[in-house]
Amino acid sequence: MSEQAFESATETDPVEALRAGTWSLLGRLLMGPPDAETLGRLVEVGSAGPAGDAIGEAWQRLGEAARTARDDALQREYQDVFIGVGGGEITPYSSWYLRGMLADRPLIELRDDLAALGIEMGEGCSETEDHAGAICETMAFVIVDEDVDPDWQRDLFRRHVDSWMGRLFEDIGKAPSADFYRAVAALGEAFVALERRVYAMSA
């Protein structure tokens, strides 16, 4: 699905646009540290978001973390948490979380499901499809793609997100070097829990 098609689709349903936008944001943040534009948007969303529930409080917390974040610190933090020397504090791949090794059966199964939907990784992407950021971006696209019915969406979420990503965000929140990403993890945990309820209601 093209970027233009994604933007057009999100104009048709504000709820679906919000869900897809949150998945897309989490995908970008897991793929690399945020740029100044993304930080500015997070500050705006965090200051406007209502409190009172887990997801609202998570948005506010992330907005505050974005307000105080500095680029050089974010670069170091992302490096330490996800990359490191010989490996970061967190290994954000479903194969690792579900099987304890990289490029294992969960990656193969995900590729099969994506192929059935006609979804391919974008050009220039250095990560495998089971990287958490790539999976979040996939969820963003399938939510607004009219060719993907709700049953497919629910099955993708159950098999490739809910089976492990909550634990991933919990671990990111506990990572020794996490600061800004502790707030990202809080949003991720709250949002995965919310999506679990959304898909349960549609079953």
Side-chain angles (χ1 to χ4, degrees):
M1 189 177 186
S2 70
E3 188 70 21
Q4 291 80 6
F6 176 79
E7 291 175 354
S8 175
T10 57
E11 293 175 356
T12 64
D13 187 325
V15 174
E16 299 296 86
L18 180 59
R19 292 176 60 215
T22 303
W23 279 121
S24 182
L25 170 68
L26 289 171
R28 288 197 299 271
L29 294 175
L30 290 169
M31 283 291 196
D35 56 20
E37 181 180 358
T38 300
L39 289 173
R41 290 179 178 176
L42 290 176
V43 171
E44 291 179 5
V45 172
S47 62
D53 59 11
I55 195 75
E57 291 174 0
W59 276 114
Q60 288 190 341
R61 180 177 175 182
L62 184 55
E64 178 60 23
R67 187 183 66 80
T68 59
R70 297 295 179 266
D71 182 68
D72 55 344
L74 285 171
Q75 297 290 335
R76 288 195 302 271
E77 180 180 344
Y78 187 87
Q79 174 73 24
D80 292 341
V81 173
F82 296 106
I83 301 174
V85 178
E89 297 164 353
I90 302 297
T91 305
Y93 298 86
S94 65
S95 290
W96 180 263
Y97 268 79
L98 296 174
R99 297 294 292 268
M101 59 184 68
L102 296 175
D104 202 56
R105 173 59 60 179
L107 173 59
I108 297 171
E109 293 174 350
L110 176 59
R111 283 176 171 168
D112 288 344
D113 286 345
L114 295 182
L117 293 171
I119 297 174
E120 299 179 353
M121 289 287 282
E123 294 183 6
C125 183
S126 60
E127 299 292 353
T128 54
E129 291 88 340
D130 69 331
H131 185 282
I135 292 176
C136 288
E137 291 177 352
T138 297
M139 288 301 302
F141 280 107
V142 300
I143 285 171
V144 297
D145 191 333
E146 295 179 353
D147 294 329
V148 182
D149 65 37
D151 289 340
W152 260 110
Q153 289 184 39
R154 185 171 58 249
D155 195 46
L156 280 172
F157 177 80
R158 179 184 61 81
R159 286 161 52 82
H160 304 298
V161 178
D162 201 26
S163 57
W164 70 286
M165 202 172 288
R167 288 186 288 134
L168 168 72
F169 284 122
E170 182 179 354
D171 289 345
I172 293 173
K174 297 176 181 177
S177 299
D179 183 10
F180 172 82
Y181 274 89
R182 193 167 290 117
V184 175
L187 176 63
E189 278 195 82
F191 185 62
V192 168
L194 178 62
E195 287 287 270
R196 186 182 303 124
R197 295 194 294 272
V198 169
Y199 286 114
M201 289 187 294
S202 66

